[in-house]
Structures are given as structure tokens and as C-alpha cells.
Amino acid sequence: MNIVLRHDTIYRYKEPIFSLASELHLRPLNNARQIVESFQIMTMPSTHLYDYIDRFGNTVHHFTIPRHLKTVEISAVSRVITMDQPFVYRLPTGFLGYESLTPTLRTTIDEETKAWIREVDHPELPILERVHTLTQATHQYFTYEAGVTTVLDTAKDFMRLKRGVCQDFAHFLISVCRYLQIPTLYVSGYLIPENEAPTASHAWVAVYTGEFRSKQWTGFDPVSGTFTNDRYIWLALGRDYGDVTPVRGVYWGTRDEDLQVNIQVEE
């Protein structure tokens, strides 16, 4: 697919704030399954943006605006070609083996989840089918519902509530796979639905499904219970949501903040 995607983030403050620093994970990953033809970030007020590559290979932009502000706008425009094929990444050895197999605060597991795993897991299956079965079971067991969780909630909270959003589904499936010693990472990005535009960013998981030391990872979306395809744009990978938050930052001033996110897509 040929996709042009614009992600606008607008912060408005009731009273002027003084000085803002922000970190952005908004540039799509560039590899064999998706090619980034162009990418541009703009801010209002205008400021200089710096960038670096983090340990997962994500491009991270950051900036500061040391002045009084009532409104901050961040616009990222990406032109991407996506293909329906596995994600070629890295072997899960060294630091990546540790990061993709070790629970985080958001992906710890409880006894109720262990009992659930014993009911639905089929360890005799090949890894691709095994994780697909776990993905479908997650989709069927939980209910997608906005507004019942926050970005601070964990996989254990999700199991208790039995409902949440894409971030919660992803954290839960990650907790399950890591408990089973299957290397798994959190993915931030976008899903382009059929015949409609996305209204928010999306989250899913990347699981190492390579054999004979290949670098093949496969995307699984527990919200829909399916594999990912060329309608998914991969932004960044990490241990959990905290590593790949699309836009985050700190500022000095009022707590009265209004956030607006707009996403526009052209195919």
C-alpha cells in the first residue's frame, strides 16, 4: 500500500506555561516490509529538532521551547509503502533477548493469568500457530472498551477488569508470551481500517518466529485476533508502551491541559 499519513498533536493550556521539553516516536520504521519515502516533523512555535537512534533502532526526535506558551502544535507527515510480509529485525540475543523476555512493570503476570494460559496454550504447535492461538484467545476473552483504563495500567489490571484498549491487549499478550519464554516486543503504530480513516494510533506485538537463526518477527494484533498485514504502519518497538510513547514531555506551569490528536490518511 502507498500511504500518506499526517499525525497532528495539539496541546492547549488554560494559563501560559513556561518552557516545554518533548520526545517523539513518530517516524515510521524503515525496512523490507515498509519503506519510508519521506518524513517531516513541524512544530508551532517553530524550534530546532534533534534526533537519535535508540537501542531498539527507533528514530527519536526531541526538542525544547524555553518560553511562555499557551498552545503547542506538533505535525508529523509520513509517506510510506507497506508490504504484507514478516518484519525482518534482529536476533533476540544479548540485550534484545533480555528486553524481549523479561517482564516490565506493565507486563508482569499473576496467578489468574497463569491458569488462563494452562487452558488455552498449545505448546506442541509450531511457534507461529501457537502464538496465533494465544492471540485469538486474548481477542475472544477480553472486551475492547475505551475509558476504563489509563496508560499506567498493567496486564494484571487488564486481567482484573477484563476490558480495555489496544495498549492493554498488547501488554497482556506480551506478559503471556514472555512467561512462556517467547521473545516478544510492544509495537506502536497505526492500523488503516478498510474504507475508513484511523482516529488514533494503535498497538500490537512483534513475536520472534524465526527458525535457524533467521531475523523474522511476526506481528500479532490481539484486538482483532489476527496477524498484522500491509494495513499496519510500524512506528517503534520497545519493552512496553513506556518505551515508545508517540508524544510525551514535561513542562512548567498549569495542570489545566487540553490534548487533541488528529490523524489523516490518504491511500
Side-chain angles (χ1 to χ4, degrees), residues 13-184:
Y13 304 96
K14 186 174 181 180
E15 301 293 337
I17 64 170
F18 178 74
S19 192
L20 174 141
S22 192
E23 180 180 85
L24 316 172
H25 289 86
L26 290 173
R27 189 188 195 283
L29 295 165
N30 192 53
N31 55 41
R33 77 159 306 280
Q34 67 179 31
I35 299 170
V36 181
E37 291 196 313
S38 63
F39 175 77
Q40 184 179 20
I41 289 185
M42 298 155 285
T43 66
M44 184 64 67
S46 180
T47 188
H48 184 77
L49 283 97
Y50 302 87
D51 65 85
Y52 66 93
I53 305 297
D54 70 11
R55 67 188 188 279
F56 293 100
N58 306 313
T59 299
V60 185
H61 291 85
H62 59 101
F63 66 88
T64 59
I65 304 178
R67 50 183 275 196
H68 285 89
L69 302 162
K70 285 199 71 174
T71 303
V72 178
E73 300 182 21
I74 303 165
S75 297
V77 180
S78 308
R79 184 180 295 272
V80 184
I81 299 175
T82 62
M83 290 155 280
D84 188 4
Q85 61 185 47
F87 183 80
V88 178
Y89 185 43
R90 307 178 192 173
L91 294 173
T93 56
F95 98 90
L96 189 58
Y98 177 82
E99 304 283 35
S100 62
L101 288 168
T102 304
T104 64
L105 291 176
R106 287 184 170 95
T107 59
T108 52
I109 202 165
D110 59 13
E111 292 303 319
E112 186 177 359
T113 302
K114 292 177 184 178
W116 180 86
I117 292 171
R118 289 192 291 271
E119 292 182 6
V120 303
D121 184 32
H122 293 276
E124 74 281 2
L125 293 175
I127 187 65
L128 197 68
E129 295 177 39
R130 185 184 184 187
V131 178
H132 188 210
T133 298
L134 292 168
T135 302
Q136 290 180 314
T138 303
H139 161 70
Q140 293 166 1
Y141 189 73
F142 297 95
T143 300
Y144 185 96
E145 183 178 335
V148 297
T149 58
T150 73
V151 295
L152 300 177
D153 283 312
T154 67
K156 291 193 288 187
D157 295 324
F158 185 51
M159 173 55 87
R160 175 176 54 83
L161 295 167
K162 305 293 189 293
R163 58 192 64 241
V165 293
C166 58
Q167 171 188 299
D168 304 300
F169 279 79
H171 283 154
F172 179 81
L173 185 56
I174 288 170
S175 74
V176 170
C177 290
R178 290 179 184 168
Y179 172 73
L180 297 172
Q181 289 298 286
I182 301 171
T184 309

